[in-house]
Amino acid sequence: MAQLIIPETPTGIDAAWLNDALRDWPEIESVAYDDIGGGTGIFGQISRLALTYSSGATPARVPDRVVVKMACREPENLAIANALGIYERELRFYEELASSLPFRIPENYFSLRGDDGRFVLVIEDMSGEFVVGDQIVGATPEQADAIVDALIPFHVQWWEHADLESMDWLPVPNAPAYLAAVPGIYRAGLPVLEAEWADKISAKALATAQAVEPKFEELIERTSQGPRTVIHTDTRLDNVFFAADGSNEIALIDFQLALRGRAVADVAYLVGTSMSIKDGAAQWERLLRRWHDGIAAAGIAYPWDECVLHYKEAALYYLSGAMSLVGTFDAGNERGAALVHAYSTRVLEHAADINAVGIL
């Protein structure tokens, strides 16, 4: 494997490359490419590869399609990704946690790290069995219910687990890299929000973002306290697959931002980024109750008042995502711009709707 070179883009993953990587697979003759990541991700390139085998037919034990995930190419995004160590984090998640998860994730066929921080993941294409959510359209209350239900056993599994301390490849929210990077991202984005987004968001949402700025480091420390578990941290709809057969089975992708942190943050992020502003305002407490009841049924004691407080702290912290999108990152294309708008307006208005600033 040492001789394999990581290409700049997924189109460099050709038949010869795959044959070197997947040496126990039948010989692949050719590859066709379908860019499926345009406008869905900030930190990665994602393509679906259709494989043609030399035998002329797809052997029973291997797939005819795979998904390739690689590092992004935009310099600003790549610098932040490497500073936060998100690529190594996702590789370790697939390599160390995949077999123990209570929900489906793609099977990892091959992974490779580069000395320059870049990587390649060759994983299962789940598009036949599952249908991916659409971040721009947003989650229905029924979809949000299914996602919350899938997260509950995951959060319970690692809740204050003894092994968390040794899992240092999963950062905590106040890890040095986050303290060094995220406040600056927030403060770089705020002037852009003030200058260019005042007509896109409510005055209350803008005032909420402004109120957080001088207390952002304090907010990081607050969100870094317990109770801790393993959390996904990017539970937006583009990272969620729903079973095509209409069942309630959920599959999750994209573990680059996984942390050891408060589980309630995953619920706050889901509601804040992936439900319409109207639904988020109407449904957040019901969904939080659903999650809280689920962990209580598993024997976890978590006072409701603390749960709500921690939810509001998470909602304020995740304003940093909006600041990063409006102020720093290259959106890439038209869909990327629509994603930035949907994500940012929702998370800002949600924090305002629940009066999260009242906890500062």
Side-chain angles (χ1 to χ4, degrees), residues 13 30 61 76 154 167 170 175 201 203 228 239 258 260 303 318:
I13 307 294
S30 63
R61 66 183 180 87
E76 297 86 355
F154 173 57
M167 297 166 67
L170 276 176
I201 58 174
R228 285 180 179 169
N239 292 330
R260 291 171 291 164
Y318 284 131

Side-chain angles (χ1 to χ4, degrees), residues 3-72:
Q3 76 273 22
L4 277 177
I5 296 173
I6 297 177
E8 287 287 329
T9 69
T11 56
I13 307 294
D14 57 14
W17 196 98
L18 287 171
N19 285 325
D20 278 343
L22 305 169
R23 296 190 176 189
D24 59 342
W25 286 30
E27 184 179 8
I28 298 166
E29 185 175 84
S30 63
V31 178
Y33 304 89
D34 178 18
D35 179 11
I36 58 174
T40 65
I42 300 299
F43 288 127
Q45 303 176 77
I46 310 174
S47 284
R48 180 183 294 116
L49 310 186
L51 310 180
T52 300
Y53 293 88
S54 298
S55 62
T58 303
R61 66 183 180 87
V62 294
D64 60 358
R65 294 177 302 179
V66 298
V67 169
V68 167
K69 186 171 186 180
M70 303 173 67
C72 62

Side-chain angles (χ1 to χ4, degrees), residues 288-352:
L288 187 59
R289 283 279 186 189
R290 186 183 187 98
W291 176 85
H292 187 264
D293 289 347
I295 66 165
I300 292 175
Y302 190 21
W304 173 248
D305 288 349
E306 286 186 25
C307 180
V308 173
L309 172 64
H310 296 166
Y311 181 99
K312 291 185 176 183
E313 289 175 344
L316 291 177
Y317 174 82
Y318 284 131
L319 296 184
S320 59
M323 297 304 108
S324 68
L325 291 175
V326 305
T328 309
F329 292 136
D330 179 357
N333 57 23
E334 185 176 340
R335 190 183 190 282
L339 173 64
V340 167
H341 183 272
Y343 179 114
S344 300
T345 55
R346 287 172 186 161
V347 75
L348 285 156
E349 296 295 350
H350 184 57

Side-chain angles (χ1 to χ4, degrees), residues 213-246:
E213 184 272 325
K215 298 189 175 183
F216 194 76
E217 286 84 356
E218 175 188 334
L219 187 63
I220 291 178
E221 296 299 334
R222 288 172 64 168
T223 59
S224 300
Q225 305 307 306
R228 285 180 179 169
T229 184
V230 177
I231 58 175
H232 185 284
T233 315
D234 199 9
T235 47
R236 59 186 179 88
L237 209 55
D238 274 345
N239 292 330
V240 182
F241 285 72
F242 301 89
D245 63 6

